[in-house]
């Protein structure tokens, strides 16, 4: 009885999908809340739940709707252990989703468009800057490609003005920065660093 998140921007965000008898299905958002989402995040080793959106926030799923009126207390080890209604009256426009604390997403701010500017990462519920101590062409290119912005042209530096600091070190061309080595709010790798920026060769909104 496997569990996964679909339609999100990382493996720790998305529409909740369960497997039953070899078929993947979804969970209805009736009664869906943070304790329910907490069980999902913990089961996937994605930390704790930051949000528990309903209304097919990550797109509509397919297949059967396997759970409705889920009532986890938050300590359960698996979503199947939580009480739920035996029947449902839902459609896929009510598919439940989660955003877990270990989900990372990125944006570029202050540039000409969404493909240039200061690198900011959303992690553990807050936006942070990225230290440029290991911000090389490889890391910048991974981010540009993650954002659909092509390859890195320049890596300008900015001041740190957000509460947290993240550092990335990729080693090879990964599908996203979350798959690189990273450290959050560790002072040593960020000592005397600037906030990383990037100008990608693509254009964005």
């Amino acid at each position: 009885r496997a569990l996964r998140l679909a339609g999100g921007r990382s493996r720790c965000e998305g529409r909740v999908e369960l497997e039953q008898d070899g078929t993947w299905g979804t969970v209805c958002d009736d009664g869906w809340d943070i304790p329910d989402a907490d069980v999902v995040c913990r089961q996937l080793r994605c930390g704790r739940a930051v949000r528990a959106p309903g209304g097919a926030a990550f797109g509509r799923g397919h297949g059967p709707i396997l759970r409705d009126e889920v009532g986890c207390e938050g300590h359960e080890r698996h979503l199947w252990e939580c009480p739920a209604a035996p029947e449902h009256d839902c459609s896929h426009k009510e598919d439940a989703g989660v955003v877990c604390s270990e989900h990372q997403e990125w944006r570029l701010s202050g540039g000409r468009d969404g493909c240039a500017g200061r690198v900011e990462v959303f992690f553990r519920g807050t936006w942070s800057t990225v230290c440029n101590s290991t911000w090389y062409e490889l890391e910048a290119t991974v981010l540009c490609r993650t954002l659909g912005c092509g390859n890195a042209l320049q890596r300008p530096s900015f001041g740190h003005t957000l509460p947290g600091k993240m550092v990335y070190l990729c080693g090879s061309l990964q599908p996203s920065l979350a798959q690189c080595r990273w450290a959050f709010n560790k002072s040593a790798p960020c000592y005397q660093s600037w906030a990383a920026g990037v100008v990608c060769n693509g254009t964005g909104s």
Side-chain angles (χ1 to χ4, degrees):
R1 285 183 161 183
L3 174 75
R4 69 184 180 191
L5 299 178
R9 289 159 292 188
S10 78
R11 69 173 196 87
C12 294
E13 172 195 77
R15 178 178 61 253
V16 180
E17 296 191 347
L18 292 158
E19 188 185 22
Q20 184 174 26
D21 303 326
T23 302
W24 287 94
T26 63
V27 176
C28 184
D29 64 8
D30 293 345
W32 186 253
D33 57 14
I34 287 290
D36 304 322
D38 257 340
V39 172
V40 171
C41 292
R42 196 169 58 250
Q43 190 179 334
L44 293 172
R45 297 191 176 146
C46 285
R48 304 202 56 235
V50 178
R51 286 192 290 127
F58 298 103
R60 297 183 185 196
H62 305 282
I65 294 165
L66 295 174
R67 309 295 273 168
D68 184 20
E69 301 284 358
V70 175
C72 302
E73 291 180 15
H75 57 74
E76 295 87 352
R77 288 171 314 165
H78 197 297
L79 195 61
W80 287 108
E81 294 176 11
C82 302
E87 302 287 322
H88 75 81
D89 54 358
C90 304
S91 68
H92 283 298
K93 71 174 189 285
E94 298 169 82
D95 284 343
V98 300
V99 181
C100 304
S101 59
E102 296 303 291
H103 163 68
Q104 296 181 33
E105 64 187 79
W106 302 272
R107 69 185 180 195
L108 299 176
S109 72
R112 55 163 202 257
D113 61 20
C115 288
R118 185 175 74 170
V119 181
E120 297 177 357
V121 54
F122 184 77
F123 181 62
R124 294 183 186 161
T126 186
W127 286 98
S128 302
T129 43
V130 173
C131 304
N132 72 351
S133 46
T134 57
W135 189 250
Y136 303 121
E137 191 167 341
L138 182 59
E139 288 75 18
T141 293
V142 168
L143 178 62
C144 287
R145 292 188 178 184
T146 301
L147 295 174
C149 291
N151 294 314
L153 285 177
Q154 296 168 276
R155 301 189 312 274
S157 298
F158 302 87
H160 289 289
T161 57
L162 294 175
K165 291 180 183 177
M166 182 75 92
V167 62
Y168 293 101
L169 185 59
C170 287
S172 63
L173 197 57
Q174 297 292 338
S176 97
L177 288 174
Q179 267 111 351
C180 301
R181 284 171 52 203
W182 53 265
F184 181 61
N185 276 352
K186 298 276 194 300
S187 57
C190 291
Y191 182 65
Q192 289 188 324
S193 74
W194 289 83
V198 67
V199 178
C200 308
N201 65 4
T203 54
S205 54

